[in-house]
Amino acid sequence: MSDGKSIEELPLDAFVGPGAVISVVKGGGEEVTAADLEESGVVVDRGDILMLHTGWDEKFETDEYNLHPYLSVDAAEWIVARGAKMFGIDCITVDLPTPLRPKGFNFPVHRALLGND
């Protein structure tokens, strides 16, 4: 993806620091929205490393794993607006699950996050 830095271009301090964890329980193919993140009540400060727990890690190595919850574009924008310096999720990708992607899918959540370093 050409909208952001590759891992070797990031400074080491990008991977270390205070953080926050938000838990949002969603089913396979369900969207995690900005409202879900906001309603969690978890404070995300500028420079935090934000981790999203959906519980999907428990499905790793099962047939269900590839039909995971995903971030909406407004959720990605919410993360960027709060200045999180790193984001992680317990799914294979932040974008729409592969089985649900239309032809020409352009990874809008990846672009929103990576395009903002």
Side-chain angles (χ1 to χ4, degrees):
M1 184 113 0
S2 62
D3 289 351
K5 294 178 183 174
S6 61
I7 195 165
E8 71 272 4
E9 294 174 308
L10 295 171
L12 287 177
D13 68 350
F15 302 96
V16 180
V21 177
I22 296 177
S23 290
V24 176
V25 177
K26 293 285 185 169
E30 287 187 316
E31 187 175 66
V32 176
T33 66
D36 293 323
L37 301 178
E38 185 68 32
E39 290 168 7
S40 74
V42 175
V43 176
V44 179
D45 292 321
R46 183 159 300 286
D48 276 356
I49 297 170
L50 176 60
M51 304 302 288
L52 179 61
H53 176 255
T54 68
W56 218 250
D57 58 306
E58 294 179 16
K59 297 185 184 299
F60 187 68
E61 295 186 333
T62 70
D63 293 338
E64 296 172 85
Y65 186 69
N66 289 323
L67 188 62
H68 52 79
Y70 64 98
L71 285 184
S72 65
V73 172
D74 75 324
E77 292 168 350
W78 185 94
I79 293 165
V80 168
R82 272 140 194 83
K85 72 175 181 179
M86 185 71 60
F87 176 75
I89 189 171
D90 58 354
C91 303
I92 195 167
T93 179
V94 294
D95 267 303
L96 191 67
T98 303
L100 301 178
R101 291 178 186 165
K103 186 176 181 174
F105 184 74
N106 71 350
F107 300 90
V109 175
H110 273 89
R111 291 183 186 283
L113 295 173
L114 294 174
N116 287 282
D117 288 332

